[in-house]
């Protein structure tokens, strides 16, 4: 039987959900039961998380191809990537169902409410993962398949099972899994990796803490109740904000390093510099508020939303730069 680790090194017995299942009237509507169950399985994959991961994949493929790859290759890579990410997220929900039950933002997940049984969730995650790996091996190439397997393993075993409940640096090293789509996208086009792909990897790696820690600040009580030692739970806001500034500086350095490594134009370089300065200022402003040197609320969620805008616009700039005539 699986046990959950607390921040004090003790273990807690898994919880058994007493939450109600799907609404009774769902089954009364034609097709209602099927639609409800299908929606529950889709929810297991965390589609909003997948969407952000795939936003980085297509620009990476365009850069790797130095132009527009075949439409089929893009679609095939996105299908495989969505399946792999969905599998990893479903495994995550299956393993974390005990702590999801005590967190307000996750207590309505289908494995907590009982809409999907733990066994069914595990089978679904396993089948989806095997299908995605087979898809990459048969349709794309073996390099992309092995990288995909590594991404699933890092997220499920490295982050979810080992790091999340044991260390405040969980999201730093566990975030490697979120960087893998750029490697997978690059390998799907070229069959190998390059220094430019490593720079793209570095951007997302250093972006992850200042992206996720603001969300952890908002749900600090949730994580504390679940005994998950996210950095904002075990440290004060000043330290968290200071580390976010440091990671942001490293992220900007990687974004500018992409220029010589991938032969980007001055347009991309200027956009990367402006976006980086804007996001850096948002983290510095948060640090100043945490230190009491500026008035107002901490504004963690403003930084969270800014991080999504930053990454999306930066990768749009990566894609557009390839087609510039200079």
């Amino acid at each position: 039987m699986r046990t959950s680790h607390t921040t004090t090194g003790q273990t807690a017995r898994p919880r058994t959900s007493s939450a109600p299942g799907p609404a009774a009237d769902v089954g009364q509507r034609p097709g209602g039961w099927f639609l409800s169950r299908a929606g529950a399985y889709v929810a297991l994959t965390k589609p909003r998380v997948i969407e952000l991961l795939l936003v980085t994949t297509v620009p990476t493929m365009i850069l790797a191809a130095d132009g527009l790859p075949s439409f089929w290759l893009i679609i095939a890579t996105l299908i495989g990537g969505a399946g792999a990410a969905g599998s990893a997220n479903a495994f995550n929900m299956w393993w974390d169902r005990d702590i999801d039950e005590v967190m307000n933002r996750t207590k309505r997940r289908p494995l907590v409410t009982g809409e999907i049984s733990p066994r069914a969730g595990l089978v679904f995650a396993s089948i989806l993962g095997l299908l995605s790996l087979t898809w990459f091996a048969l349709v794309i190439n073996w390099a992309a398949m092995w990288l995909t397997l590594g991404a699933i393993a890092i997220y499920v075993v490295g982050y979810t099972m080992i790091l999340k409940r044991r260390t405040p640096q969980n999201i730093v090293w566990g975030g490697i899994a979120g960087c893998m789509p750029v490697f997978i996208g690059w390998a799907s086009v070229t069959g190998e990796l390059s220094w430019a792909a490593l720079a793209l990897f570095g951007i997302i790696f250093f972006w992850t803490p200042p992206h996720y820690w603001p969300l952890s600040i908002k749900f600090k009580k949730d994580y504390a109740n679940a005994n998950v030692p996210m950095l904002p739970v075990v440290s004060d806001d000043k330290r968290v904000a200071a580390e976010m500034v440091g990671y942001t500086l490293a992220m900007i350095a990687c974004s500018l390093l992409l220029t010589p490594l991938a032969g980007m134009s001055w347009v991309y370089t200027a956009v990367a510099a402006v976006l980086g300065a804007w996001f850096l200022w948002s983290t510095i402003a948060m640090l100043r508020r945490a230190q009491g040197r500026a008035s107002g609320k901490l504004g963690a969620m403003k930084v969270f939303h800014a991080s999504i805008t930053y990454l999306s616009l930066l990768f749009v700039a990566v894609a557009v730069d390839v087609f510039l005539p200079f």
Side-chain angles (χ1 to χ4, degrees):
M1 179 182 293
R2 177 172 61 87
T3 58
S4 62
H5 291 266
T6 67
T7 54
T8 61
Q10 299 174 331
T11 57
R13 296 177 59 188
R15 294 175 175 265
T16 301
S17 174
S18 59
D25 65 338
V26 170
Q28 304 301 320
R29 301 192 301 269
W33 180 90
F34 174 80
L35 292 176
S36 175
R37 186 57 57 91
Y41 278 105
V42 170
L44 276 185
T45 68
K46 300 182 185 178
R48 295 190 68 180
V49 174
I50 294 175
E51 179 183 336
L52 185 59
L53 293 177
L54 298 183
V55 161
T56 63
T57 302
V58 175
T60 297
M61 295 179 70
I62 292 173
L63 182 61
D66 195 24
L68 192 65
S70 72
F71 180 74
W72 165 244
L73 180 60
I74 293 176
I75 296 300
T77 303
L78 294 181
I79 290 173
S87 169
N89 289 331
F91 275 121
N92 171 268
M93 283 199 194
W94 173 78
W95 184 264
D96 279 348
R97 62 191 185 276
D98 58 328
I99 63 176
D100 282 348
E101 185 179 359
V102 300
M103 296 177 62
N104 286 327
R105 76 182 186 92
T106 57
K107 65 184 180 182
R108 301 305 303 171
R109 286 177 173 176
L111 287 174
V112 177
T113 63
E115 191 168 3
I116 296 176
S117 70
R119 181 179 179 180
L122 181 60
V123 170
F124 173 75
S126 302
I127 292 176
L128 190 57
L130 289 173
L131 287 176
S132 67
L133 293 173
T134 302
W135 176 268
F136 271 111
L138 297 180
V139 178
I140 310 296
N141 57 53
W142 283 90
M145 188 279 289
W146 286 114
L147 289 166
T148 301
L149 177 60
I152 295 174
I154 291 169
Y155 187 70
V156 176
V157 179
Y159 171 67
T160 301
M161 295 182 177
I162 298 177
L163 296 172
K164 183 174 181 178
R165 308 190 192 205
R166 289 178 171 87
T167 171
Q169 297 300 311
N170 47 22
I171 199 63
V172 177
W173 301 109
I176 290 175
C179 308
M180 294 299 286
V182 297
F183 275 180
I184 295 167
W186 196 281
S188 294
V189 173
T190 67
E192 58 186 11
L193 298 178
S194 70
W195 289 108
L198 185 61
L200 292 169
F201 181 99
I203 293 170
I204 302 175
F205 177 80
F206 292 115
W207 168 85
T208 301
H211 163 69
Y212 197 83
W213 281 337
L215 191 65
S216 301
I217 290 173
K218 179 177 181 180
F219 296 104
K220 183 188 300 187
K221 291 183 179 178
D222 265 1
Y223 285 115
N225 290 337
N227 291 314
V228 178
M230 290 292 179
L231 186 63
V233 174
V234 301
S235 301
D236 59 31
D237 292 339
K238 289 185 288 186
R239 178 186 169 185
V240 176
E243 291 202 21
M244 287 170 56
V245 171
Y247 279 109
T248 300
L249 288 170
M251 176 196 73
I252 294 170
C254 287
S255 71
L256 296 176
L257 188 60
L258 185 64
T259 295
L261 292 178
M264 310 299 284
S265 76
W266 65 267
V267 174
Y268 164 81
T269 306
V271 171
V274 170
L275 287 174
W278 168 69
F279 185 62
L280 177 62
W281 174 248
S282 72
T283 61
I284 292 175
M286 178 176 159
L287 175 59
R288 286 171 54 83
R289 290 190 292 269
Q291 293 173 332
R293 297 164 55 193
S295 60
K297 296 182 179 180
L298 189 63
M301 290 307 293
K302 289 183 179 180
V303 180
F304 170 77
H305 292 299
S307 70
I308 297 175
T309 301
Y310 167 84
L311 194 71
S312 301
L313 292 179
L314 184 73
F315 273 81
V316 167
V318 169
V320 169
D321 196 79
V322 172
F323 299 102
L324 295 178
F326 48 82

